[in-house]
Amino acid sequence: MSENFTPDSSLQQQMETFEETCRTADLKLTHQRLEIYRELAKATDHPSAEMLHKRLQKTMPTLSLDTVYRTLTTFEQHHLVKKVQTVDSQARFEAQMVQHHHLICDSCKEIMDFHWNSFDSTPLPADIRQWGTIRNKNVTIHGTCQKCQALKKVKKRT
Ligand SMILES: [Zn+2]
Ligand SMILES: [Zn+2]
């Protein structure tokens, strides 16, 4: 259902697409931008700016959280990354631009990708189409993941 890791070849391809988009958009390819994008492209857990910052600090100790924020915002404006709609105040990001949907756990806040081709290819009901122009249609499913469910059962027993 979801891919737990990004194979190197597809990461390589994603980096190339990223560099190309930056060049066409006249966006300077700085070391920081490259590393921030690479870290996000590698991630499958839809990290927040804070989470990314923590991971990047290991190799870039001088990188500030503010820079990560600003860079992500710039990326978003150029459609290089997406903000995931969550109910939390902390924005979560992903570099996966291929159409997909999300499962969000209310307890651990884990966000998982899933694909739903039959939904994607189903035309919207007429009254929705009359509402206006649809940019994208994404499904977000909220609930409790199996890991958290198991934890809750353990807690109840003790
Ligand atoms: Zn969970
Ligand atoms: Zn996603």
Side-chain angles (χ1 to χ4, degrees):
M1 184 170 60
S2 79
E3 57 277 26
N4 287 321
F5 74 102
T6 312
D8 281 350
S9 61
S10 83
L11 179 64
Q12 192 55 43
Q13 222 169 45
Q14 220 175 329
M15 290 309 296
E16 277 164 26
T17 314
F18 168 74
E19 288 176 32
E20 218 177 271
T21 311
C22 284
R23 268 193 290 269
T24 7
D26 231 358
L27 211 62
K28 239 198 217 146
L29 267 174
T30 62
H31 174 67
Q32 280 185 339
R33 279 182 178 157
L34 269 168
E35 288 313 304
I36 293 170
Y37 183 81
R38 191 197 312 275
E39 197 62 40
L40 185 61
K42 271 196 318 200
T44 53
D45 59 347
H46 308 79
S48 63
E50 283 81 1
M51 288 154 85
L52 268 183
H53 179 239
K54 238 181 237 161
R55 288 171 202 174
L56 286 159
Q57 259 188 328
K58 285 175 205 146
T59 46
M60 296 198 286
T62 55
L63 182 73
S64 72
L65 177 59
D66 189 54
T67 304
V68 177
Y69 263 121
R70 275 187 288 121
T71 307
L72 287 173
T73 307
T74 308
F75 286 170
E76 203 201 346
Q77 283 161 354
H78 288 89
H79 308 289
L80 286 159
V81 307
K82 264 192 308 198
K83 222 183 236 173
V84 184
Q85 295 307 325
T86 67
V87 280
D88 285 327
S89 51
Q90 232 185 35
R92 305 268 297 254
F93 296 88
E94 68 181 337
Q96 177 58 267
M97 302 306 274
V98 176
Q99 167 76 358
H100 66 278
H101 309 282
H102 290 120
L103 288 160
I104 304 183
C105 174
D106 299 327
S107 299
C108 65
K109 315 285 179 203
E110 190 181 68
I111 303 174
M112 282 210 356
D113 289 342
F114 73 96
H115 296 271
W116 191 359
N117 296 337
S118 54
F119 172 83
D120 297 339
S121 54
T122 305
L124 290 166
D127 49 343
I128 294 182
R129 269 177 291 160
Q130 272 162 19
W131 165 85
T133 315
I134 308 295
R135 186 161 43 85
N136 59 46
K137 42 172 199 159
N138 291 93
V139 178
T140 307
I141 297 178
H142 297 269
T144 310
C145 75
Q146 278 185 20
K147 266 183 286 171
C148 291
Q149 260 177 350
L151 269 174
K152 271 184 194 158
K153 272 186 204 147
V154 172
K155 267 188 200 152
K156 260 185 204 161
R157 254 183 254 145
T158 48

